[in-house]
Amino acid sequence: QSALTQPPSASGSPGQSVTISCTGTSSDVGGYYYVSWYQQHPGKAPKLMIYEVSKRPSGVPDRFSGSKSGNTASLTVSGLQAEDEADYYCSSYAGSNNYVFGTGTKVTVL
Amino acid sequence: QLQLQESGPGLVKPSETLSLTCTVSGGSISSSYYYWGWIRQPPGKGLEWIGSIFYSGSTYYNPSLKSRVTISVDTSKDQFSLKLSSVTAADTAVYYCARHGSMTSGFLSWGQGTLVTVSS
């Protein structure tokens, strides 16, 4: 199984929105509504921000939203804040009890 | 509050077996229908799912690592373990243990991670 494709970087000014894409295939992203998104600050463990494409765990601000169209999932961070600067990874269920992660996107708050 | 803590050698020689344990506190491994997984991250690179185990002992492995991976659970100690055999430098990574609600859900709770270096 190949890693899901994400852009290496994305950026936005405080208060603006940034959207990160996550492209897979019909065997993973396109085949299931089981896409998750993680935020990872340097030296820290990843934190689950979105699961099942668009659901937020308790405590995650509603500035974070997810969606999916075909084989591509997206994470949008609205009202960018300095603390949103981090690496973001998508993941998807890939069938047959397998997971696959994305390549990761570094988000910079300008 | 659920906490997970990885432990094990930080240095492993090439061709040997990497062994790590994840200790769960603030909750019991066998008290709920959760899955317990291992994820790794080579320095400066992305995340890779290694495998997961259900509290009952059913295991699920990344096909690319399946021939070298064994995950087991010890419910009496609230621990689950990872063994990765025949390691090479490519297995150098931060290894995380984590909990997820099902094989289709995200990993909600994570350990802090432990760096394992493969070197002679």
Side-chain angles (χ1 to χ4, degrees):
Chain A
Q1 57 196 31
S2 299
L4 307 175
T5 301
Q6 297 180 233
S9 62
S11 62
S13 299
Q16 291 187 332
S17 296
V18 64
T19 297
I20 305 165
S21 61
C22 169
T23 302
T25 69
S26 58
S27 296
D28 38 62
V29 175
Y32 307 94
Y33 273 81
Y34 297 128
V35 176
S36 300
W37 288 92
Y38 299 86
Q39 177 191 66
Q40 186 180 34
H41 288 109
K44 300 295 186 182
K47 175 185 177 183
L48 182 65
M49 306 301 283
I50 295 287
Y51 66 100
E52 293 180 6
V53 175
S54 61
K55 297 178 180 180
R56 284 186 306 275
S58 175
V60 173
D62 59 7
R63 303 186 293 104
F64 292 85
S65 62
S67 62
K68 186 177 83 101
S69 177
N71 295 339
T72 299
S74 298
L75 173 72
T76 297
V77 185
S78 305
L80 267 176
Q81 299 181 5
E83 60 261 35
D84 299 332
E85 185 163 295
D87 294 326
Y88 291 82
Y89 293 91
C90 62
S91 74
S92 175
Y93 182 66
S96 301
N97 293 311
N98 289 326
Y99 275 111
V100 61
F101 280 96
T103 51
T105 299
K106 180 176 180 59
V107 169
T108 301
V109 181
L110 301 172
Chain B
Q1 181 180 348
L2 187 77
Q3 292 188 326
L4 296 88
Q5 179 68 58
E6 306 88 351
S7 60
L11 180 64
V12 181
K13 289 182 169 57
S15 80
E16 295 189 344
T17 295
L18 178 159
S19 295
L20 294 174
T21 296
C22 182
T23 301
V24 177
S25 59
S28 171
I29 277 186
S30 58
S31 65
S32 302
Y33 296 101
Y34 286 113
Y35 291 73
W36 307 88
W38 289 97
I39 301 100
R40 70 180 182 178
Q41 184 172 35
K45 296 187 178 181
L47 301 166
E48 180 180 35
W49 173 68
I50 299 171
S52 297
I53 188 166
F54 193 44
Y55 80 102
S56 63
S58 298
T59 52
Y60 311 91
Y61 299 135
N62 184 323
S64 66
L65 298 169
K66 186 175 183 177
S67 64
R68 299 194 292 130
V69 174
T70 302
I71 296 175
S72 59
V73 65
D74 186 339
T75 55
S76 67
K77 295 182 179 179
D78 283 324
Q79 294 178 334
F80 62 106
S81 299
L82 168 70
K83 291 188 185 299
L84 181 66
S85 63
S86 305
V87 297
T88 69
D91 295 310
T92 293
V94 174
Y95 286 76
Y96 295 99
C97 60
R99 186 184 82 172
H100 51 132
S102 71
M103 284 306 296
T104 57
S105 68
F107 295 91
L108 183 58
S109 302
W110 294 68
Q112 65 184 23
T114 187
L115 175 63
V116 179
T117 301
V118 178
S119 175
S120 56

